[in-house]
Amino acid sequence: MTHLKDDELVPALSRQLGEPLLAAAYARVDTVLGLTRLLSPLGNYLIARPAARAAAHKITERTEVPLDGAMILGLTAAALHVWRADPMLNRVCEHVGQVSLERITELTVTPGRSWHPIRIVLADGEKIEVEGRGAAHLLDSEYARLRAS
């Protein structure tokens, strides 16, 4: 496990992968129980996080995209990479997998307050909706730049 702030993700995870990341951001799956994050850290770890992890597991089963309740999404020239993470503690855990950009037809980030809605549409029409923080908007702009070239 490594502790990385938002602005440290790209260089540190690029070294770990052995290839350059174009953008990276902490992300999470939001659920109806997500509001319990506001109660206390215990609400986050005992209620919200397990619900998010279960929702992420269902999305992974449906789409074959490796997700976790809290994660880091990192974009390279060929794939979207996913690491388990704890955004509350800026902690990066293990790399759980990747999705080829050939499978992704849309990746958009809508501006939000502290967490920004991220929408990923797969070639088969499946939609994945998560939230990202920090430089999540760079995932959108770098993906658009890759698609244009």
Side-chain angles (χ1 to χ4, degrees):
M1 261 185 264
T2 309
H3 293 273
L4 296 173
K5 295 179 183 172
D6 293 87
D7 61 340
E8 300 170 323
L9 291 174
V10 170
L13 296 177
S14 291
R15 283 191 300 277
Q16 181 187 31
L17 269 181
E19 65 179 301
L21 275 178
L22 304 172
Y26 283 100
R28 67 184 183 197
V29 175
D30 196 22
T31 67
V32 176
L33 297 175
L35 290 175
T36 59
R37 284 186 196 99
L38 303 175
L39 298 176
S40 70
L42 285 177
N44 183 42
Y45 288 109
L46 297 177
I47 301 169
R49 183 71 57 83
R53 185 164 281 138
H57 183 68
K58 288 178 184 174
I59 295 168
T60 297
E61 286 178 346
R62 189 182 80 233
T63 64
E64 296 180 2
V65 173
L67 297 177
D68 194 47
M71 66 203 122
I72 294 170
L73 299 176
L75 188 67
T76 64
L80 180 68
H81 292 265
V82 181
W83 286 263
R84 281 192 181 91
D86 185 342
M88 195 168 171
L89 300 175
N90 293 325
R91 190 168 30 195
V92 180
C93 302
E94 70 275 3
H95 183 266
V96 294
Q98 65 186 31
V99 180
S100 169
L101 291 186
E102 293 174 358
R103 283 194 62 207
I104 299 174
T105 60
E106 179 186 329
L107 191 156
T108 55
V109 179
T110 306
R113 288 188 175 196
S114 57
W115 288 87
H116 314 284
I118 299 173
R119 179 180 170 164
I120 301 167
V121 179
L122 302 175
D124 62 5
E126 288 283 354
K127 294 175 183 76
I128 299 170
E129 295 186 359
V130 297
E131 297 176 323
R133 75 167 200 214
H137 64 281
L138 290 177
L139 292 167
D140 183 337
S141 61
E142 288 296 330
Y143 177 78
R145 186 183 63 76
L146 288 170
R147 287 307 237 194
S149 51

